[in-house]
Amino acid sequence: MLKLEHIGIAVKSLETSIPLFEKLLNTSCYKTESVDTERVNTAFFQKGESKIELLESTTPDGVIAKFIEKKSEGIHHLAFEVADIEGEMKRLQSEGFTLLNETPKKGADNKLVCFLHPKGTNGVLIELCQEIKY
Ligand code: ZN
């Protein structure tokens, strides 16, 4: 793993949370993006090397909506950048971690992503991400 790439935060409403985080971080949101397959709208902020990703559910039964229902708004996942996502997935699987997707999938912010089951990581949802290079 190369570095902590971003922290994902589940929010009820981007409309209210974007201006909140703009004030908090004293920086503008640089990108909003909908990920239809995950049924989320996302908003990104950059601070130094790291990013904050806000996640809003697009449906009442989406994973983010369910997360907020169970735990309330807050930190949803930690994302680590990797150079070789498939190699890292294999390594973690052989170490006994459970992958939530068998193959890397297309995430927000031009990334291939894979999630690890939080049951095996002390309750913390971990995302591996690798930038898609064209
Ligand atoms: Zn993320």
Side-chain angles (χ1 to χ4, degrees):
M1 295 186 193
L2 300 172
K3 64 170 186 187
L4 181 65
E5 213 274 341
H6 65 266
I7 296 174
I9 298 175
V11 302
K12 285 180 186 160
S13 157
L14 286 184
E15 196 186 323
T16 56
S17 292
I18 287 174
L20 176 75
F21 275 80
E22 286 182 331
K23 264 188 268 179
L24 175 71
L25 301 171
N26 197 24
T27 193
S28 298
C29 169
Y30 73 87
K31 181 196 263 189
T32 57
E33 185 180 350
S34 297
V35 185
D36 295 337
T37 52
E38 303 293 315
R39 297 187 294 169
V40 292
N41 295 322
T42 64
F44 285 89
F45 303 83
Q46 179 101 39
K47 266 292 165 182
E49 286 250 295
S50 302
K51 296 170 188 164
I52 299 288
E53 172 186 35
L54 302 182
L55 302 133
E56 168 198 75
S57 188
T58 58
T59 67
D61 61 342
V63 285
I64 293 300
K66 283 184 188 155
F67 176 90
I68 290 173
E69 209 172 281
K70 251 168 71 183
K71 300 192 177 178
S72 89
E73 293 178 296
I75 293 179
H76 178 258
H77 64 270
L78 302 182
F80 291 95
E81 187 174 11
V82 296
D84 168 15
I85 194 164
E86 285 174 6
E88 195 65 11
M89 286 165 69
K90 265 187 215 142
R91 184 186 74 83
L92 290 165
Q93 212 163 21
S94 73
E95 294 284 3
F97 294 96
T98 306
L99 307 179
L100 288 180
N101 45 297
E102 289 289 308
T103 51
K105 56 184 179 179
K106 177 95 174 62
D109 204 29
N110 192 38
K111 298 267 198 288
L112 285 174
V113 301
C114 177
F115 288 92
L116 302 188
H117 200 294
K119 272 184 186 155
T121 53
N122 285 159
V124 182
L125 180 62
I126 303 287
E127 172 187 337
L128 306 176
C129 62
Q130 180 181 354
E131 196 170 4
I132 299 170
K133 294 201 173 96
Y134 296 98

